[in-house]
Amino acid sequence: MTINILFAAKAERWTGYEAPLTRALTDALPGREFKLATDLPPEEVDYIVYAPNSDLQDFAPYTRAKAVLNLWAGVEAITGNETLKIPLARMVDFGLTQGMVEWVTGHVLRYHLGLDIDITRRDAKWEPRDQPLARERGVTIFGLGALGQAVAEALVGLGFDVSGWSRSQKAVEGVRCLHGDTGLTEALQRADIAVLLMPDTPATQNVINAETLAQMPKGAFIINPGRGPLIDDDALLAALDSGQIAHATLDVFRVEPLPDDHPYWAHPRVTVTPHIAAATRNGTASEVIAENIRRSEAGEPLLHLVDRDRGY
Ligand code: NDP
Ligand code: OXD
């Protein structure tokens, strides 16, 4: 029987996915017939390859569908969808992970080395300064999941004093793994540079607030490629103005695109990037999707299943 796979993402994504997804499905399902399309009768669809910003928001008519396979790592825009009753898998993709490692490492090194001082200097002042080694710089990764762990390992490789904070206890070589409410204070105190890589859930919203910002070392840096709601924006702006936080690099926001009049745009101690930290890569992501369809057809458990109650 033909496996019908609906590609439900913005139309412009189809051009990039059609060929690699077809190739990956052909490799993963030898001898099986499949149909991959952007439009199929809902009652005939077996799998939905999905982006939360697609027009598909009502899953009720997809009575035969076995799983929704998300093209994004973040699932906050779909976990609350009451019409979704079937398993939901999120994206864990080599390309996405590597992209995040490179983006975070670049911004950590920018802060660690004080690169802005030299890049923006125009006053002809020759002012040598001491450069601490990475091992003298505490970096805390808030969120030690697929992305956080990879980032932590890369920073350990560069010699940083890396801590990580998660909901449950983790073990990552070279990383001081802290967790839960009891681990939060130490995680904050060790964060000369804080990297936020948690999902947006009711439990993580505003985790960076006036109280937690005050527990970080004075003059700390914040890098947020996680999600906008992790930060209480007013509290961060106040901490930037007081010097408690020296600078923030923000890739994600409560409202995207970030509105023209948002104070982050003009703030001298904020760098805004337009949600570009890491993108799902068509080729590697297609292999992840195809592998999950193969698993489902073989009666094996899906990879990267979302716990809808936990929200990630
Ligand atoms: P994972 O689900 O693999 O990891 C999430 C981590 O956050 C886990 O370590 C988890 O703890 C921790 N966490 C969740 N809730 C809490 C909590 N209440 N307290 C403490 N820790 C918590 O996600 P990924 O690493 O794959 O992705 C992380 C996020 O990065 C995505 O949800 C998305 O928002 C963002 N993202 C941003 C991109 C960009 O371009 N800006 C690109 C891709 C992703 P535990 O391990 O105990 O479960
Ligand atoms: C994602 C993202 O969640 O790009 O994949 O933010």
Side-chain angles (χ1 to χ4, degrees):
M1 199 163 133
T2 304
I3 306 170
N4 290 325
I5 304 160
L6 178 70
F7 186 85
K10 291 280 182 207
E12 59 269 24
R13 304 306 306 272
W14 176 238
T15 332
Y17 269 105
E18 186 180 5
L21 204 43
T22 303
R23 213 166 26 244
L25 288 162
T26 307
D27 291 348
L29 302 165
R32 292 293 304 272
E33 265 187 38
F34 65 86
K35 184 171 177 187
L36 173 66
T38 54
D39 194 16
L40 289 166
E43 66 283 0
E44 292 179 16
V45 169
D46 294 299
Y47 298 96
I48 303 173
V49 178
Y50 188 69
N53 64 353
S54 99
D55 294 336
L56 199 176
Q57 295 297 328
D58 181 8
F59 292 92
Y62 295 84
T63 47
R64 191 169 105 181
K66 297 175 201 159
V68 170
L69 307 170
N70 204 37
L71 289 168
W72 299 4
V75 287
E76 71 280 1
I78 184 178
T79 44
N81 188 321
E82 298 288 342
T83 68
L84 180 62
K85 310 279 188 207
I86 53 177
L88 166 67
R90 64 190 202 89
M91 182 50 66
V92 177
D93 155 41
F94 166 80
L96 180 74
T97 303
Q98 184 58 25
M100 186 61 81
V101 167
E102 293 175 13
W103 188 89
V104 171
T105 303
H107 287 281
V108 166
L109 286 172
R110 169 194 177 192
Y111 286 142
H112 170 60
L113 296 173
L115 293 181
D116 287 15
I117 299 171
D118 308 305
I119 290 170
T120 61
R121 185 173 300 285
R122 298 289 177 272
D123 57 7
K125 283 198 177 133
W126 183 268
E127 286 180 346
R129 61 184 183 274
D130 290 339
Q131 293 282 54
L133 289 177
R135 66 184 181 190
E136 297 163 60
R137 187 83 68 183
V139 183
T140 300
I141 317 295
F142 292 84
L144 272 183
L147 300 177
Q149 285 196 27
V151 165
E153 282 163 0
L155 295 175
V156 166
L158 287 173
F160 284 100
D161 177 6
V162 182
S163 304
W165 185 67
S166 48
R167 193 181 49 84
S168 56
Q169 178 66 49
K170 300 278 161 219
V172 185
E173 204 178 329
V175 178
R176 187 180 300 100
C177 292
L178 306 161
H179 73 284
D181 290 345
T182 49
L184 182 57
T185 301
E186 185 175 354
L188 291 162
Q189 287 171 346
R190 290 186 178 277
D192 296 325
I193 303 176
V195 178
L196 310 184
L197 272 169
M198 287 181 294
D200 172 8
T201 73
T204 62
Q205 286 176 8
N206 293 325
V207 73
I208 299 301
N209 56 42
E211 199 183 319
T212 51
L213 286 163
Q215 292 175 64
M216 292 171 65
K218 189 160 178 65
F221 300 97
I222 292 189
I223 300 174
N224 184 18
R227 281 294 184 260
L230 301 177
I231 296 180
D232 173 338
D233 293 324
D234 290 340
L236 176 57
L237 286 162
L240 286 160
D241 290 341
S242 74
Q244 169 61 16
I245 299 301
H247 204 280
T249 292
L250 309 174
D251 184 57
V252 284
F253 304 91
R254 286 167 193 267
V255 178
E256 294 182 11
L258 185 65
D260 296 356
D261 58 352
H262 196 287
Y264 282 147
W265 279 119
H267 201 290
R269 286 189 285 283
V270 174
T271 296
V272 170
T273 62
H275 201 144
I276 49 156
T280 304
R281 297 329 202 249
N282 302 355
T284 42
S286 293
E287 288 167 18
V288 176
I289 299 283
E291 168 60 8
N292 254 348
I293 293 178
R294 183 203 69 72
R295 283 173 163 259
S296 174
E297 290 299 302
E300 296 171 22
L302 294 189
L303 298 171
H304 320 309
L305 273 179
V306 172
D307 178 332
R308 303 273 302 278
D309 294 330
R310 226 172 44 178
Y312 67 100

